[in-house]
Amino acid sequence: LADSDKELVSRAQAGDLQAFDALVSIHQARVFALARRMLSNDDDAADVQQETFVRAWRSLRKFRCDAEFATWLHRITVNLCLTRRRRETAVENSYFADAVSGAEPSAAAMLEKAELAAETRKALAEMPANHRVLIVLREIEGRPFEEIARILGCSESSARTRACRARNMLRQKMKPYLTAT
Amino acid sequence: VKRECDRFEESIWEHARTGAELTEEAARHLGSCPNCRRALEDAKKLSALLVEAGRVVHTPDCRRAVMARISAEPSRQVIPVWAYGLTCACAIALLGVAAIFLTPSRELHKSAPAPLAAKKSACAKSGPAPMIPPAAVKKQALPAQEVAVRPARTSKRAVQKVRVSMVRRLRGPRRAVVRAGEAVSSDRVSRAGIQPNSSNVQSATTGTRPIAAVYVTWPQPGEPEDASYHYVEHNAETNETTTCWVKRSGDRIEIHMESKSGGSEPPVKGSIEHDENTSNA
């Protein structure tokens, strides 16, 4: 995938729109997933998904192929999400409605699972954006710290420390649900 | 003890998330530390919850919108690296030429009294000395004047360039925005590749309540010039659903909207006829 990325990137850098279209096709799902996990609703995530690729196109000439295109793209996504999260003032109610509506109302276990997932999302939404991003990248997406450091533009040890703080914060927020289950 | 526990925090979470085996040292520590055992239990529960919470079911396809926005942008010229070098070399050469032209004029000004002094001494010795005529002085100072007027010429060219780029932008994909109220964020508008301004924004009056917002951009890649389509937009802030039918024919666009609130209120209907010739004028 990385090799085909390189070829497509170099073609896109030369102005080939079809190559860039192919890059969008390959990476759009992961970009949206990352944005959705960082933000509170689908609309905002879709906005970020689109904006990520437009910005990537604008600064494609600055991209050097020594880094992975996906990592570079995810860095743009995270930066856009962090900027947007700073503007968000409250957690949107529709977010929980989305999470619960996906469950079967007849199945109590499913509902409970969906409710717990909603509570987890709520706890994540309440966390500061710079902590939340660590939970998303490390605990949900399971990325290595080396890549997280490149995405966030910080050192690996700093990423580890921040992840540790973020996990403790999440654990504190979810304490009532952890002891109950 | 806390510091000792911190050392194993990462491997506890790694184990909880992936099921990776704990190191012997970590396993030994867990055996003797009730806090870390509780942390491992919590980490396992949280990891499972995070997987559930982070599940993304539906991914929108943004290719079409991205490509439309990219195509609408002014074309980028790919400038090779050697061109930058050549430009720098030309700039240095120009500066050199300018310096050459400027230097004689300075000398001319400095040495201007010299002919007079020469004249005086020559008069004292052997009658009037040949004077440099004023026309000749002007002729020698001319290159300096040329250099002085150059910035003005450059700025004229720059203005022309700006005009050309504006024309090119107007020739790009035609678009129109119809908006009422402030329900839609500027981000949403920019997502459609539209910068709202007085020429492309028209207010919509639809009876008692304002319609949330509507934006239209056309033609999309692969879309025929004369296209009709409709879409539904839900506004989370007002819980209002707007259905919009767009019919485009030549330079004329007709937009019919029906807006329905989340409550039991009857739908509000409205229609707008948007003439591109008048809006872009």
Side-chain angles (χ1 to χ4, degrees):
Chain A
L1 187 70
D3 284 345
S4 69
D5 266 7
K6 273 184 185 172
E7 194 196 324
L8 288 169
V9 166
S10 57
R11 274 170 54 196
Q13 280 176 328
D16 185 344
L17 277 172
Q18 275 186 341
F20 191 74
D21 188 29
L23 283 169
V24 176
S25 176
I26 291 168
H27 294 282
Q28 63 173 346
R30 280 198 81 185
V31 165
F32 178 78
L34 177 57
R36 182 64 185 86
R37 285 160 188 158
M38 283 290 295
L39 299 169
S40 304
N41 59 63
D42 281 344
D43 275 355
D44 283 354
D47 278 349
V48 165
Q49 180 198 31
Q50 201 183 110
E51 194 61 34
T52 298
F53 287 108
V54 172
R55 292 208 182 179
W57 169 257
R58 283 180 194 152
S59 31
L60 199 61
R61 268 191 297 162
K62 292 178 203 159
F63 174 70
R64 286 171 301 164
C65 287
D66 50 357
E68 279 224 17
F69 180 69
T71 308
W72 181 67
L73 213 54
H74 295 162
R75 187 172 181 168
I76 298 174
T77 313
V78 166
N79 284 339
L80 284 169
C81 289
L82 291 177
T83 312
R84 196 168 279 246
R85 284 268 301 167
R86 276 183 214 118
R87 292 203 302 257
E88 278 182 7
T89 50
V91 183
E92 288 175 28
N93 290 330
S94 60
Y95 192 63
F96 310 112
D98 282 356
V100 177
S101 64
E104 295 263 343
S106 55
M110 288 275 284
L111 189 64
E112 195 190 332
K113 200 177 170 189
E115 276 172 3
L116 275 171
E119 286 303 330
T120 315
R121 285 184 185 199
K122 187 184 171 191
L124 274 173
E126 285 169 359
M127 284 172 77
N130 58 342
H131 282 71
R132 183 178 181 173
V133 69
L134 263 306
I135 295 290
V136 169
L137 293 174
R138 179 67 185 166
E139 300 308 326
I140 298 180
E141 301 197 341
R143 295 180 195 240
F145 277 112
E146 193 189 348
E147 191 186 355
I148 294 172
R150 277 204 301 270
I151 289 173
L152 299 180
C154 65
S155 67
E156 214 177 303
S157 62
S158 166
R160 279 177 193 276
T161 313
R162 282 165 64 183
C164 182
R165 280 193 210 131
R167 284 191 292 239
N168 286 336
M169 188 182 277
L170 182 66
R171 202 177 151 204
Q172 285 301 316
K173 280 180 181 292
M174 292 296 291
K175 212 167 192 173
Y177 305 98
L178 295 174
T179 48
T181 52
Chain B
V1 176
K2 180 83 173 74
R3 223 175 253 176
E4 180 78 1
C5 296
D6 285 349
R7 278 180 55 211
F8 302 108
E9 202 253 356
E10 187 56 51
S11 48
I12 283 174
W13 277 85
E14 179 90 31
H15 173 69
R17 192 179 66 247
T18 61
E21 266 193 44
L22 286 166
T23 57
E24 257 183 50
E25 200 184 1
R28 214 179 309 124
H29 175 78
L30 273 170
S32 62
C33 179
N35 282 342
C36 284
R37 278 201 300 275
R38 204 174 310 129
L40 177 61
E41 286 305 308
D42 286 356
K44 279 180 180 172
K45 286 173 191 169
L46 273 174
S47 289
L49 286 174
L50 284 169
V51 168
E52 194 61 34
R55 203 180 296 280
V56 176
V57 183
H58 162 73
T59 303
D61 190 351
C62 70
R63 277 168 59 194
R64 200 175 161 189
V66 168
M67 297 319 284
R69 278 183 67 181
I70 288 171
S71 311
E73 286 188 359
S75 63
R76 297 180 319 147
Q77 281 184 335
V78 181
I79 302 166
V81 179
W82 59 262
Y84 287 109
L86 192 66
T87 312
C88 286
C90 287
I92 292 164
L94 270 173
L95 280 171
V97 171
I100 290 164
F101 278 122
L102 281 169
T103 314
S105 69
R106 273 191 210 140
E107 279 174 2
L108 193 70
H109 287 300
K110 277 181 190 168
S111 59
L116 288 173
K119 182 190 141 192
K120 274 182 187 172
S121 61
C123 281
K125 283 177 189 170
S126 57
M131 277 181 66
I132 297 173
V137 174
K138 267 191 184 173
K139 225 175 190 176
Q140 282 184 29
L142 198 58
Q145 284 174 348
E146 276 181 355
V147 171
V149 295
R150 217 163 264 167
R153 284 182 189 169
T154 314
S155 65
K156 266 185 187 174
R157 261 185 233 129
V159 169
Q160 281 169 354
K161 268 185 188 170
V162 169
R163 280 183 191 149
V164 167
S165 69
M166 279 172 72
V167 169
R168 199 181 298 151
R169 210 174 298 157
L170 284 173
R171 281 178 188 165
R174 288 160 291 179
R175 57 209 179 193
V177 181
V178 184
R179 195 176 71 164
E182 295 299 321
V184 153
S185 65
S186 57
D187 292 314
R188 182 75 64 78
V189 174
S190 70
R191 190 169 107 192
I194 296 162
Q195 293 301 317
N197 56 49
S198 58
S199 70
N200 63 10
V201 174
Q202 245 186 21
S203 64
T205 48
T206 58
T208 52
R209 287 185 300 116
I211 275 180
V214 176
Y215 52 77
V216 185
T217 177
W218 80 90
Q220 299 279 356
E223 200 175 63
E225 279 285 304
D226 292 340
S228 297
Y229 51 94
H230 84 278
Y231 62 87
V232 180
E233 184 171 289
H234 178 71
N235 188 324
E237 284 172 34
T238 59
N239 198 20
E240 198 172 47
T241 306
T242 304
T243 312
C244 183
W245 292 267
V246 182
K247 188 184 175 189
R248 186 178 177 277
S249 174
D251 287 331
R252 193 176 181 80
I253 180 164
E254 285 175 44
I255 303 164
H256 296 275
M257 288 172 285
E258 188 175 303
S259 180
K260 196 178 178 186
S261 73
S264 56
E265 288 176 57
V268 176
K269 292 181 181 180
S271 66
I272 294 160
E273 282 186 4
H274 182 84
D275 194 334
E276 197 199 359
N277 289 328
T278 53
S279 71
N280 272 347

